[in-house]
Amino acid sequence: MSNPGNIVGGHKANLNNPGTSDESKEHSKQVLDQEFDGGNVEKSGEKNPQNVAGGLKATVNNPKVSQEAKDSAQERLKDMGQPVGN
């Protein structure tokens, strides 16, 4: 089966899309109710550490981010054993 979060996301998007038919929306509602507890999906929990580090590094180097956020990102990078730099 495909990623349940992606399936749920697609059906939720369909429900909110004014360009889809009522029949299509009814189908999405049925799938969500019958197969996905109304759209409640458990998150996988584990994040890819390299993606997290990349996001933190982007935060550190983003001129539109506050110094407080940059300091927090640098601290988290240090805790992860990642190089910290500007």
Side-chain angles (χ1 to χ4, degrees):
M1 178 183 231
S2 298
N3 181 328
N6 290 348
I7 295 170
V8 168
H11 284 293
K12 286 183 175 182
N14 184 48
L15 291 172
N16 291 302
N17 183 344
T20 58
S21 69
D22 290 340
E23 182 180 314
S24 175
K25 290 180 188 216
E26 183 57 35
H27 170 73
S28 287
K29 185 170 177 7
Q30 286 176 359
V31 170
L32 289 172
D33 289 343
Q34 294 172 4
E35 297 180 31
F36 295 100
D37 188 30
N40 296 321
V41 178
E42 239 180 77
K43 299 196 185 245
S44 63
E46 284 297 314
K47 293 184 178 179
N48 181 324
Q50 296 301 331
N51 289 351
V52 173
L56 293 170
K57 289 176 183 179
T59 298
V60 168
N61 293 299
N62 185 338
K64 295 184 178 184
V65 171
S66 70
Q67 188 60 47
E68 182 180 350
K70 288 181 181 188
D71 293 344
S72 173
Q74 286 180 331
E75 188 64 33
R76 288 182 61 196
L77 283 166
K78 194 165 88 175
D79 292 345
M80 293 173 70
Q82 293 285 326
V84 178
N86 288 338

